[in-house]
Every structure is written in structure tokens, then in C-alpha cells.
Short mmCIF file of all heavy atoms in Angstrom, two decimals:
data_model
loop_
_atom_site.label_atom_id
_atom_site.label_comp_id
_atom_site.label_asym_id
_atom_site.label_seq_id
_atom_site.Cartn_x
_atom_site.Cartn_y
_atom_site.Cartn_z
N MET C 1 11.41 -57.46 -18.17
CA MET C 1 11.56 -56.99 -16.82
C MET C 1 12.18 -55.60 -16.79
O MET C 1 11.80 -54.85 -15.97
CB MET C 1 12.40 -58.05 -16.02
CG MET C 1 12.39 -57.87 -14.63
SD MET C 1 10.80 -58.27 -13.95
CE MET C 1 11.22 -58.56 -12.31
N VAL C 2 13.18 -55.37 -17.64
CA VAL C 2 13.87 -54.08 -17.63
C VAL C 2 12.87 -52.96 -18.05
O VAL C 2 12.87 -51.87 -17.50
CB VAL C 2 15.09 -54.16 -18.54
CG1 VAL C 2 15.73 -52.76 -18.64
CG2 VAL C 2 16.18 -55.10 -18.05
N ASP C 3 11.94 -53.35 -19.00
CA ASP C 3 11.03 -52.38 -19.46
C ASP C 3 10.06 -52.00 -18.32
O ASP C 3 9.63 -50.82 -18.20
CB ASP C 3 10.21 -52.88 -20.64
CG ASP C 3 11.06 -53.05 -21.96
OD1 ASP C 3 11.99 -52.19 -22.06
OD2 ASP C 3 10.70 -53.82 -22.71
N LEU C 4 9.74 -52.85 -17.48
CA LEU C 4 8.86 -52.67 -16.37
C LEU C 4 9.53 -51.67 -15.39
O LEU C 4 8.94 -50.72 -14.93
CB LEU C 4 8.52 -53.89 -15.62
CG LEU C 4 7.58 -53.83 -14.39
CD1 LEU C 4 6.28 -53.30 -14.80
CD2 LEU C 4 7.44 -55.15 -13.69
N PHE C 5 10.77 -51.91 -15.13
CA PHE C 5 11.58 -50.89 -14.26
C PHE C 5 11.58 -49.50 -14.87
O PHE C 5 11.43 -48.47 -14.18
CB PHE C 5 12.94 -51.45 -13.95
CG PHE C 5 12.93 -52.63 -13.04
CD1 PHE C 5 13.70 -53.74 -13.35
CD2 PHE C 5 12.25 -52.62 -11.88
CE1 PHE C 5 13.79 -54.78 -12.44
CE2 PHE C 5 12.30 -53.67 -10.95
CZ PHE C 5 13.06 -54.76 -11.30
N ARG C 6 11.80 -49.43 -16.21
CA ARG C 6 11.85 -48.18 -16.88
C ARG C 6 10.52 -47.43 -16.80
O ARG C 6 10.38 -46.26 -16.46
CB ARG C 6 12.22 -48.31 -18.30
CG ARG C 6 13.67 -48.54 -18.49
CD ARG C 6 14.14 -48.61 -19.89
NE ARG C 6 15.46 -49.03 -20.09
CZ ARG C 6 15.99 -49.58 -21.15
NH1 ARG C 6 15.18 -49.87 -22.12
NH2 ARG C 6 17.18 -49.86 -21.18
N GLU C 7 9.44 -48.21 -16.99
CA GLU C 7 8.14 -47.57 -16.88
C GLU C 7 7.78 -47.07 -15.48
O GLU C 7 7.31 -45.99 -15.32
CB GLU C 7 7.01 -48.70 -17.26
CG GLU C 7 7.03 -48.89 -18.71
CD GLU C 7 5.98 -49.87 -19.13
OE1 GLU C 7 4.85 -49.96 -18.43
OE2 GLU C 7 6.15 -50.68 -20.12
N VAL C 8 8.21 -47.91 -14.51
CA VAL C 8 7.96 -47.41 -13.11
C VAL C 8 8.81 -46.21 -12.81
O VAL C 8 8.37 -45.27 -12.24
CB VAL C 8 8.33 -48.58 -12.13
CG1 VAL C 8 8.36 -48.10 -10.77
CG2 VAL C 8 7.28 -49.72 -12.28
N ASP C 9 10.04 -46.22 -13.29
CA ASP C 9 10.93 -45.07 -13.09
C ASP C 9 10.40 -43.83 -13.74
O ASP C 9 10.36 -42.76 -13.16
CB ASP C 9 12.40 -45.36 -13.64
CG ASP C 9 13.32 -44.30 -13.28
OD1 ASP C 9 13.34 -43.85 -12.17
OD2 ASP C 9 14.12 -43.94 -14.18
N GLU C 10 9.91 -43.92 -14.99
CA GLU C 10 9.29 -42.81 -15.72
C GLU C 10 7.98 -42.27 -14.91
O GLU C 10 7.80 -41.10 -14.86
CB GLU C 10 8.98 -43.13 -17.13
CG GLU C 10 10.20 -43.28 -17.99
CD GLU C 10 10.95 -42.06 -18.17
OE1 GLU C 10 10.38 -40.94 -18.21
OE2 GLU C 10 12.18 -42.05 -18.06
N ALA C 11 7.21 -43.16 -14.43
CA ALA C 11 6.03 -42.82 -13.74
C ALA C 11 6.41 -42.09 -12.44
O ALA C 11 5.67 -41.06 -12.08
CB ALA C 11 5.18 -44.08 -13.46
N LEU C 12 7.43 -42.55 -11.73
CA LEU C 12 7.80 -41.83 -10.52
C LEU C 12 8.31 -40.48 -10.87
O LEU C 12 8.08 -39.52 -10.10
CB LEU C 12 8.90 -42.64 -9.79
CG LEU C 12 8.34 -43.96 -9.08
CD1 LEU C 12 9.56 -44.77 -8.57
CD2 LEU C 12 7.39 -43.61 -8.04
N LYS C 13 9.13 -40.33 -11.88
CA LYS C 13 9.69 -39.01 -12.40
C LYS C 13 8.51 -38.08 -12.67
O LYS C 13 8.52 -36.89 -12.31
CB LYS C 13 10.54 -39.12 -13.61
CG LYS C 13 11.99 -39.74 -13.19
CD LYS C 13 12.80 -39.78 -14.43
CE LYS C 13 14.12 -40.48 -14.12
NZ LYS C 13 14.92 -40.57 -15.37
N GLN C 14 7.55 -38.57 -13.36
CA GLN C 14 6.34 -37.76 -13.80
C GLN C 14 5.64 -37.32 -12.52
O GLN C 14 5.32 -36.13 -12.44
CB GLN C 14 5.49 -38.42 -14.79
CG GLN C 14 4.41 -37.66 -15.23
CD GLN C 14 3.48 -38.32 -16.24
OE1 GLN C 14 3.77 -39.49 -16.68
NE2 GLN C 14 2.35 -37.69 -16.81
N GLU C 15 5.36 -38.24 -11.68
CA GLU C 15 4.66 -37.93 -10.39
C GLU C 15 5.45 -36.79 -9.61
O GLU C 15 4.84 -35.94 -9.06
CB GLU C 15 4.44 -39.15 -9.55
CG GLU C 15 3.66 -38.95 -8.35
CD GLU C 15 3.52 -40.23 -7.53
OE1 GLU C 15 3.23 -41.27 -8.14
OE2 GLU C 15 3.63 -40.28 -6.29
N LYS C 16 6.76 -37.02 -9.49
CA LYS C 16 7.61 -36.04 -8.84
C LYS C 16 7.53 -34.66 -9.49
O LYS C 16 7.44 -33.63 -8.76
CB LYS C 16 9.03 -36.47 -8.75
CG LYS C 16 9.93 -35.81 -7.94
CD LYS C 16 11.33 -36.43 -7.82
CE LYS C 16 12.27 -35.65 -6.98
NZ LYS C 16 13.59 -36.25 -6.95
N MET C 17 7.55 -34.60 -10.81
CA MET C 17 7.49 -33.33 -11.45
C MET C 17 6.10 -32.69 -11.32
O MET C 17 5.94 -31.49 -11.11
CB MET C 17 7.67 -33.45 -13.04
CG MET C 17 9.20 -33.62 -13.31
SD MET C 17 10.18 -32.20 -12.85
CE MET C 17 9.56 -31.00 -13.92
N GLU C 18 5.04 -33.47 -11.29
CA GLU C 18 3.74 -32.96 -11.11
C GLU C 18 3.54 -32.40 -9.65
O GLU C 18 3.03 -31.26 -9.43
CB GLU C 18 2.63 -34.01 -11.31
CG GLU C 18 2.43 -34.39 -12.73
CD GLU C 18 1.53 -35.53 -12.94
OE1 GLU C 18 0.87 -36.00 -11.93
OE2 GLU C 18 1.26 -35.95 -14.08
N ARG C 19 4.15 -33.00 -8.68
CA ARG C 19 4.12 -32.67 -7.30
C ARG C 19 4.89 -31.30 -7.20
O ARG C 19 4.44 -30.36 -6.61
CB ARG C 19 4.70 -33.70 -6.38
CG ARG C 19 4.43 -33.43 -4.99
CD ARG C 19 4.87 -34.58 -4.13
NE ARG C 19 5.28 -35.71 -4.94
CZ ARG C 19 6.24 -36.57 -4.65
NH1 ARG C 19 6.81 -36.49 -3.52
NH2 ARG C 19 6.63 -37.62 -5.53
N PHE C 20 6.09 -31.22 -7.84
CA PHE C 20 6.95 -30.00 -7.81
C PHE C 20 6.09 -28.87 -8.44
O PHE C 20 6.06 -27.73 -7.81
CB PHE C 20 8.21 -30.28 -8.58
CG PHE C 20 9.00 -29.02 -8.66
CD1 PHE C 20 9.78 -28.65 -7.60
CD2 PHE C 20 9.06 -28.24 -9.89
CE1 PHE C 20 10.56 -27.50 -7.67
CE2 PHE C 20 9.77 -27.16 -9.96
CZ PHE C 20 10.58 -26.71 -8.88
N TRP C 21 5.45 -29.12 -9.54
CA TRP C 21 4.65 -28.07 -10.22
C TRP C 21 3.50 -27.52 -9.38
O TRP C 21 3.28 -26.33 -9.28
CB TRP C 21 4.12 -28.54 -11.58
CG TRP C 21 3.39 -27.46 -12.30
CD1 TRP C 21 2.05 -27.41 -12.47
CD2 TRP C 21 3.93 -26.22 -12.85
NE1 TRP C 21 1.67 -26.23 -13.12
CE2 TRP C 21 2.86 -25.51 -13.37
CE3 TRP C 21 5.22 -25.72 -13.00
CZ2 TRP C 21 3.00 -24.33 -14.00
CZ3 TRP C 21 5.37 -24.52 -13.64
CH2 TRP C 21 4.28 -23.77 -14.12
N HIS C 22 2.75 -28.49 -8.70
CA HIS C 22 1.68 -28.05 -7.84
C HIS C 22 2.11 -27.24 -6.69
O HIS C 22 1.46 -26.38 -6.19
CB HIS C 22 0.93 -29.34 -7.35
CG HIS C 22 0.05 -29.90 -8.52
ND1 HIS C 22 -1.02 -29.19 -9.08
CD2 HIS C 22 0.13 -31.08 -9.11
CE1 HIS C 22 -1.62 -29.98 -9.96
NE2 HIS C 22 -0.90 -31.14 -10.05
N GLN C 23 3.38 -27.54 -6.17
CA GLN C 23 3.85 -26.81 -4.97
C GLN C 23 4.46 -25.52 -5.37
O GLN C 23 4.42 -24.57 -4.65
CB GLN C 23 4.97 -27.68 -4.29
CG GLN C 23 4.35 -28.88 -3.59
CD GLN C 23 5.45 -29.70 -3.01
OE1 GLN C 23 6.62 -29.60 -3.29
NE2 GLN C 23 4.99 -30.71 -2.21
N ASN C 24 5.08 -25.42 -6.55
CA ASN C 24 5.89 -24.23 -6.89
C ASN C 24 5.42 -23.50 -8.16
O ASN C 24 6.04 -22.45 -8.57
CB ASN C 24 7.35 -24.63 -7.06
CG ASN C 24 7.86 -25.18 -5.82
OD1 ASN C 24 7.85 -24.65 -4.77
ND2 ASN C 24 8.43 -26.43 -5.93
N GLY C 25 4.43 -24.01 -8.87
CA GLY C 25 3.97 -23.47 -10.12
C GLY C 25 3.53 -21.94 -10.01
O GLY C 25 3.96 -21.21 -10.96
N LYS C 26 2.87 -21.53 -8.99
CA LYS C 26 2.45 -20.13 -8.88
C LYS C 26 3.72 -19.26 -8.69
O LYS C 26 3.72 -18.11 -9.23
CB LYS C 26 1.43 -19.97 -7.85
CG LYS C 26 1.94 -20.36 -6.38
CD LYS C 26 0.82 -20.20 -5.34
CE LYS C 26 1.25 -20.80 -4.07
NZ LYS C 26 0.13 -20.78 -3.09
N TYR C 27 4.74 -19.75 -8.03
CA TYR C 27 5.88 -18.92 -7.88
C TYR C 27 6.70 -18.79 -9.18
O TYR C 27 7.30 -17.77 -9.55
CB TYR C 27 6.89 -19.58 -6.85
CG TYR C 27 6.15 -19.60 -5.45
CD1 TYR C 27 5.87 -20.83 -4.90
CD2 TYR C 27 5.66 -18.40 -4.79
CE1 TYR C 27 5.27 -20.86 -3.64
CE2 TYR C 27 5.00 -18.48 -3.58
CZ TYR C 27 4.82 -19.70 -3.03
OH TYR C 27 4.16 -19.81 -1.80
N ILE C 28 6.75 -19.89 -9.92
CA ILE C 28 7.42 -19.94 -11.20
C ILE C 28 6.76 -18.96 -12.17
O ILE C 28 7.41 -18.12 -12.89
CB ILE C 28 7.52 -21.32 -11.78
CG1 ILE C 28 8.48 -22.22 -10.95
CG2 ILE C 28 8.02 -21.27 -13.24
CD1 ILE C 28 8.42 -23.69 -11.21
N LEU C 29 5.45 -19.06 -12.25
CA LEU C 29 4.64 -18.18 -13.14
C LEU C 29 4.75 -16.68 -12.64
O LEU C 29 4.90 -15.82 -13.54
CB LEU C 29 3.17 -18.59 -13.26
CG LEU C 29 2.91 -19.94 -13.98
CD1 LEU C 29 1.38 -20.20 -13.80
CD2 LEU C 29 3.36 -19.73 -15.42
N GLY C 30 4.72 -16.50 -11.40
CA GLY C 30 4.90 -15.19 -10.87
C GLY C 30 6.27 -14.56 -11.25
O GLY C 30 6.35 -13.39 -11.61
N GLY C 31 7.32 -15.41 -11.18
CA GLY C 31 8.63 -14.95 -11.56
C GLY C 31 8.72 -14.54 -13.06
O GLY C 31 9.32 -13.61 -13.39
N ILE C 32 8.06 -15.42 -13.85
CA ILE C 32 8.14 -15.18 -15.30
C ILE C 32 7.40 -13.84 -15.62
O ILE C 32 7.83 -13.04 -16.37
CB ILE C 32 7.50 -16.27 -15.98
CG1 ILE C 32 8.46 -17.59 -15.90
CG2 ILE C 32 7.27 -15.92 -17.51
CD1 ILE C 32 7.79 -18.81 -16.44
N ILE C 33 6.22 -13.70 -14.99
CA ILE C 33 5.42 -12.43 -15.21
C ILE C 33 6.18 -11.24 -14.73
O ILE C 33 6.17 -10.15 -15.34
CB ILE C 33 4.07 -12.58 -14.54
CG1 ILE C 33 3.20 -13.62 -15.31
CG2 ILE C 33 3.33 -11.24 -14.46
CD1 ILE C 33 1.96 -13.98 -14.62
N ALA C 34 6.86 -11.32 -13.56
CA ALA C 34 7.59 -10.22 -13.04
C ALA C 34 8.78 -9.86 -13.99
O ALA C 34 9.01 -8.61 -14.21
CB ALA C 34 8.23 -10.58 -11.63
N VAL C 35 9.47 -10.89 -14.54
CA VAL C 35 10.50 -10.50 -15.47
C VAL C 35 10.03 -9.85 -16.73
O VAL C 35 10.63 -8.87 -17.20
CB VAL C 35 11.28 -11.83 -15.80
CG1 VAL C 35 12.22 -11.68 -16.99
CG2 VAL C 35 12.15 -12.41 -14.66
N ILE C 36 8.90 -10.27 -17.21
CA ILE C 36 8.35 -9.69 -18.42
C ILE C 36 7.85 -8.21 -18.11
O ILE C 36 8.15 -7.27 -18.81
CB ILE C 36 7.12 -10.50 -18.91
CG1 ILE C 36 7.63 -11.85 -19.48
CG2 ILE C 36 6.27 -9.72 -19.95
CD1 ILE C 36 6.48 -12.73 -19.83
N ALA C 37 7.21 -8.05 -16.95
CA ALA C 37 6.83 -6.67 -16.53
C ALA C 37 8.02 -5.74 -16.34
O ALA C 37 7.94 -4.65 -16.84
CB ALA C 37 5.97 -6.67 -15.25
N ILE C 38 9.09 -6.18 -15.68
CA ILE C 38 10.22 -5.38 -15.50
C ILE C 38 10.87 -5.02 -16.81
O ILE C 38 11.30 -3.92 -17.03
CB ILE C 38 11.19 -6.04 -14.51
CG1 ILE C 38 10.64 -6.10 -13.07
CG2 ILE C 38 12.58 -5.43 -14.48
CD1 ILE C 38 11.35 -6.96 -12.09
N THR C 39 10.95 -6.01 -17.69
CA THR C 39 11.54 -5.71 -18.99
C THR C 39 10.71 -4.72 -19.81
O THR C 39 11.31 -3.75 -20.46
CB THR C 39 11.68 -7.04 -19.79
OG1 THR C 39 12.41 -8.00 -19.11
CG2 THR C 39 12.21 -6.81 -21.17
N ALA C 40 9.38 -4.89 -19.75
CA ALA C 40 8.57 -3.86 -20.45
C ALA C 40 8.71 -2.44 -19.76
O ALA C 40 8.75 -1.46 -20.52
CB ALA C 40 7.03 -4.32 -20.31
N LEU C 41 8.77 -2.35 -18.48
CA LEU C 41 8.90 -1.02 -17.83
C LEU C 41 10.30 -0.44 -18.18
O LEU C 41 10.33 0.76 -18.48
CB LEU C 41 8.82 -1.17 -16.32
CG LEU C 41 7.35 -1.41 -15.81
CD1 LEU C 41 7.41 -1.84 -14.33
CD2 LEU C 41 6.51 -0.23 -16.06
N TRP C 42 11.28 -1.26 -18.18
CA TRP C 42 12.63 -0.73 -18.49
C TRP C 42 12.74 -0.32 -19.99
O TRP C 42 13.29 0.76 -20.19
CB TRP C 42 13.70 -1.90 -18.25
CG TRP C 42 15.16 -1.46 -18.54
CD1 TRP C 42 15.89 -1.67 -19.59
CD2 TRP C 42 15.89 -0.69 -17.67
NE1 TRP C 42 17.07 -1.12 -19.44
CE2 TRP C 42 17.15 -0.46 -18.22
CE3 TRP C 42 15.67 -0.11 -16.39
CZ2 TRP C 42 18.11 0.28 -17.63
CZ3 TRP C 42 16.65 0.59 -15.79
CH2 TRP C 42 17.95 0.77 -16.44
N SER C 43 12.10 -0.97 -20.82
CA SER C 43 12.12 -0.66 -22.25
C SER C 43 11.29 0.71 -22.38
O SER C 43 11.69 1.59 -23.11
CB SER C 43 11.46 -1.64 -23.11
OG SER C 43 11.41 -1.32 -24.45
N GLY C 44 10.15 0.87 -21.81
CA GLY C 44 9.42 2.05 -21.81
C GLY C 44 10.17 3.25 -21.26
O GLY C 44 10.12 4.29 -21.88
N TYR C 45 10.83 3.04 -20.16
CA TYR C 45 11.62 4.13 -19.52
C TYR C 45 12.77 4.59 -20.53
O TYR C 45 13.00 5.74 -20.72
CB TYR C 45 12.24 3.72 -18.19
CG TYR C 45 13.20 4.63 -17.66
CD1 TYR C 45 12.74 5.87 -17.10
CD2 TYR C 45 14.56 4.35 -17.53
CE1 TYR C 45 13.63 6.82 -16.57
CE2 TYR C 45 15.41 5.30 -17.00
CZ TYR C 45 14.92 6.50 -16.48
OH TYR C 45 15.81 7.38 -16.00
N ASN C 46 13.40 3.65 -21.15
CA ASN C 46 14.54 3.95 -22.03
C ASN C 46 13.98 4.72 -23.26
O ASN C 46 14.55 5.65 -23.74
CB ASN C 46 15.28 2.69 -22.46
CG ASN C 46 16.26 2.18 -21.45
OD1 ASN C 46 16.75 2.99 -20.68
ND2 ASN C 46 16.47 0.92 -21.54
N GLN C 47 12.76 4.28 -23.76
CA GLN C 47 12.15 5.03 -24.90
C GLN C 47 11.82 6.49 -24.48
O GLN C 47 11.94 7.41 -25.24
CB GLN C 47 11.00 4.30 -25.43
CG GLN C 47 11.30 2.99 -26.18
CD GLN C 47 12.14 3.28 -27.35
OE1 GLN C 47 11.96 4.20 -28.13
NE2 GLN C 47 13.17 2.46 -27.54
N TRP C 48 11.30 6.62 -23.26
CA TRP C 48 10.97 7.96 -22.78
C TRP C 48 12.26 8.81 -22.70
O TRP C 48 12.18 9.98 -23.06
CB TRP C 48 10.33 7.76 -21.34
CG TRP C 48 9.94 9.12 -20.78
CD1 TRP C 48 8.91 9.98 -21.02
CD2 TRP C 48 10.77 9.78 -19.82
NE1 TRP C 48 9.03 11.14 -20.29
CE2 TRP C 48 10.14 11.07 -19.50
CE3 TRP C 48 11.88 9.49 -19.06
CZ2 TRP C 48 10.62 11.95 -18.58
CZ3 TRP C 48 12.49 10.41 -18.15
CH2 TRP C 48 11.77 11.66 -17.97
N LYS C 49 13.33 8.21 -22.24
CA LYS C 49 14.61 8.98 -22.01
C LYS C 49 15.13 9.46 -23.53
O LYS C 49 15.52 10.54 -23.66
CB LYS C 49 15.67 8.15 -21.45
CG LYS C 49 15.62 8.21 -19.93
CD LYS C 49 16.84 7.58 -19.24
CE LYS C 49 17.74 6.78 -20.03
NZ LYS C 49 18.89 6.15 -19.27
N ILE C 50 14.98 8.54 -24.46
CA ILE C 50 15.41 8.90 -25.82
C ILE C 50 14.47 9.95 -26.42
O ILE C 50 15.02 10.99 -26.97
CB ILE C 50 15.27 7.61 -26.72
CG1 ILE C 50 16.47 6.63 -26.37
CG2 ILE C 50 15.42 7.97 -28.11
CD1 ILE C 50 16.35 5.28 -26.96
N SER C 51 13.25 9.89 -26.12
CA SER C 51 12.26 10.96 -26.60
C SER C 51 12.62 12.33 -25.87
O SER C 51 12.64 13.32 -26.65
CB SER C 51 10.81 10.53 -26.18
OG SER C 51 9.98 11.58 -26.48
N GLN C 52 12.92 12.38 -24.71
CA GLN C 52 13.29 13.46 -23.97
C GLN C 52 14.58 14.09 -24.51
O GLN C 52 14.77 15.30 -24.74
CB GLN C 52 13.40 13.34 -22.48
CG GLN C 52 12.08 13.02 -21.81
CD GLN C 52 11.06 14.03 -21.95
OE1 GLN C 52 11.32 15.27 -21.84
NE2 GLN C 52 9.92 13.66 -22.22
N ALA C 53 15.59 13.25 -24.81
CA ALA C 53 16.79 13.74 -25.40
C ALA C 53 16.61 14.29 -26.78
O ALA C 53 17.22 15.39 -27.17
CB ALA C 53 17.84 12.49 -25.52
N HIS C 54 15.73 13.70 -27.53
CA HIS C 54 15.43 14.28 -28.97
C HIS C 54 14.73 15.70 -28.77
O HIS C 54 15.11 16.54 -29.51
CB HIS C 54 14.50 13.38 -29.75
CG HIS C 54 15.17 12.11 -30.25
ND1 HIS C 54 16.10 12.22 -31.34
CD2 HIS C 54 15.18 10.86 -29.88
CE1 HIS C 54 16.58 11.08 -31.65
NE2 HIS C 54 15.98 10.18 -30.74
N LYS C 55 13.79 15.81 -27.85
CA LYS C 55 13.21 17.06 -27.61
C LYS C 55 14.17 18.14 -27.20
O LYS C 55 14.21 19.31 -27.63
CB LYS C 55 12.10 16.95 -26.60
CG LYS C 55 10.88 16.24 -27.03
CD LYS C 55 9.85 16.15 -25.92
CE LYS C 55 8.65 15.29 -26.38
NZ LYS C 55 7.67 15.07 -25.33
N SER C 56 15.07 17.74 -26.22
CA SER C 56 16.06 18.74 -25.78
C SER C 56 17.04 19.08 -26.86
O SER C 56 17.42 20.30 -26.99
CB SER C 56 16.91 18.05 -24.65
OG SER C 56 16.11 17.87 -23.50
N THR C 57 17.44 18.17 -27.74
CA THR C 57 18.33 18.42 -28.81
C THR C 57 17.71 19.37 -29.86
O THR C 57 18.29 20.30 -30.39
CB THR C 57 18.80 17.10 -29.51
OG1 THR C 57 19.44 16.31 -28.61
CG2 THR C 57 19.74 17.36 -30.72
N ALA C 58 16.37 19.10 -30.14
CA ALA C 58 15.62 19.91 -31.08
C ALA C 58 15.54 21.34 -30.53
O ALA C 58 15.69 22.36 -31.29
CB ALA C 58 14.32 19.36 -31.31
N ALA C 59 15.25 21.56 -29.22
CA ALA C 59 15.16 22.84 -28.64
C ALA C 59 16.40 23.46 -28.68
O ALA C 59 16.60 24.75 -29.02
CB ALA C 59 14.61 22.74 -27.15
N PHE C 60 17.51 22.86 -28.38
CA PHE C 60 18.89 23.42 -28.46
C PHE C 60 19.20 23.87 -29.86
O PHE C 60 19.78 24.94 -30.07
CB PHE C 60 19.96 22.42 -27.91
CG PHE C 60 21.30 22.95 -28.03
CD1 PHE C 60 21.83 23.92 -27.11
CD2 PHE C 60 22.16 22.53 -29.08
CE1 PHE C 60 23.07 24.44 -27.27
CE2 PHE C 60 23.45 22.98 -29.14
CZ PHE C 60 23.94 23.98 -28.20
N MET C 61 18.96 22.97 -30.88
CA MET C 61 19.34 23.37 -32.28
C MET C 61 18.42 24.58 -32.73
O MET C 61 18.90 25.42 -33.44
CB MET C 61 19.06 22.12 -33.12
CG MET C 61 19.97 20.94 -32.91
SD MET C 61 21.72 21.41 -33.08
CE MET C 61 21.84 21.73 -34.87
N GLU C 62 17.20 24.63 -32.34
CA GLU C 62 16.31 25.76 -32.64
C GLU C 62 16.87 27.09 -32.07
O GLU C 62 16.92 28.02 -32.70
CB GLU C 62 14.93 25.47 -32.21
CG GLU C 62 13.90 26.45 -32.67
CD GLU C 62 12.54 26.05 -32.24
OE1 GLU C 62 12.15 24.88 -32.49
OE2 GLU C 62 11.78 26.97 -31.67
N MET C 63 17.32 26.93 -30.76
CA MET C 63 17.85 28.07 -30.12
C MET C 63 19.19 28.47 -30.79
O MET C 63 19.46 29.72 -30.94
CB MET C 63 18.10 27.82 -28.68
CG MET C 63 17.98 28.92 -27.72
SD MET C 63 17.96 28.47 -25.99
CE MET C 63 19.37 27.42 -25.79
N ALA C 64 19.95 27.57 -31.16
CA ALA C 64 21.33 27.79 -31.75
C ALA C 64 21.18 28.47 -33.14
O ALA C 64 21.91 29.29 -33.53
CB ALA C 64 22.19 26.60 -31.87
N ASN C 65 20.14 28.02 -33.90
CA ASN C 65 19.98 28.55 -35.27
C ASN C 65 19.25 29.85 -35.16
O ASN C 65 19.34 30.61 -36.18
CB ASN C 65 19.07 27.57 -36.09
CG ASN C 65 19.81 26.28 -36.43
OD1 ASN C 65 21.09 26.30 -36.52
ND2 ASN C 65 19.19 25.26 -36.62
N ALA C 66 18.64 30.32 -34.09
CA ALA C 66 17.90 31.53 -34.03
C ALA C 66 18.98 32.67 -33.91
O ALA C 66 18.66 33.84 -34.23
CB ALA C 66 16.99 31.54 -32.84
N ASN C 67 20.11 32.44 -33.38
CA ASN C 67 21.15 33.43 -33.15
C ASN C 67 21.89 33.73 -34.51
O ASN C 67 22.40 33.67 -35.33
CB ASN C 67 22.20 33.06 -32.13
CG ASN C 67 21.53 33.03 -30.77
OD1 ASN C 67 20.59 33.78 -30.55
ND2 ASN C 67 21.99 32.22 -29.90
#
């Protein structure tokens, strides 16, 4: 009898999770995609800043060595 209650309880939990996913799945996936996109953009921006700093340093060193 206890097994029957456990099975019913598990079935209700699964049904509740499926309903939750159907109602909110697109928002969850959208949030995950947004986080990935923001992380990629931030990383690209930081790499660009580093590249610009290297160029500026190289130009300064070239100018300093020219004197």
C-alpha cells in the first residue's frame, strides 16, 4: 500500500514538473542563452581592450626607443 502512495506521489511530482516546464521552459532557455551571450560579449570586449593596450604599449615603446 505504501508503494502505491509513493508511485502516485512520484507521478504527481513528475506531472507538476512537466507543467512547470511547459509554462516556463522558454523563459528558462532564454535566460540561459542570454547569460551565454552576455558572457561571450564581455569576454570579447575584454580581449579587444587587451589588444588595444598592447598596440598602445608597442607604439609608446617604439616612440621611446626612437629618441
Side-chain angles (χ1 to χ4, degrees):
M1 190 71 159
V2 174
D3 290 335
L4 178 64
F5 288 131
R6 284 187 186 153
E7 287 181 32
V8 170
D9 188 43
E10 288 297 320
L12 288 173
K13 285 180 184 178
Q14 183 176 356
E15 184 180 315
K16 189 175 180 181
M17 282 301 292
E18 287 176 3
R19 193 171 355 146
F20 176 79
W21 180 253
H22 286 295
Q23 290 175 349
N24 301 306
K26 60 184 171 186
Y27 301 116
I28 294 169
L29 289 176
I32 291 169
I33 291 170
V35 167
I36 291 170
I38 289 169
T39 302
L41 289 171
W42 184 258
S43 179
Y45 174 70
N46 282 333
Q47 289 300 318
W48 177 78
K49 279 191 344 183
I50 290 169
S51 173
Q52 293 301 317
H54 284 287
K55 288 179 185 176
S56 296
T57 302
F60 175 76
M61 294 302 291
E62 189 175 312
M63 207 168 53
N65 289 334
N67 290 331

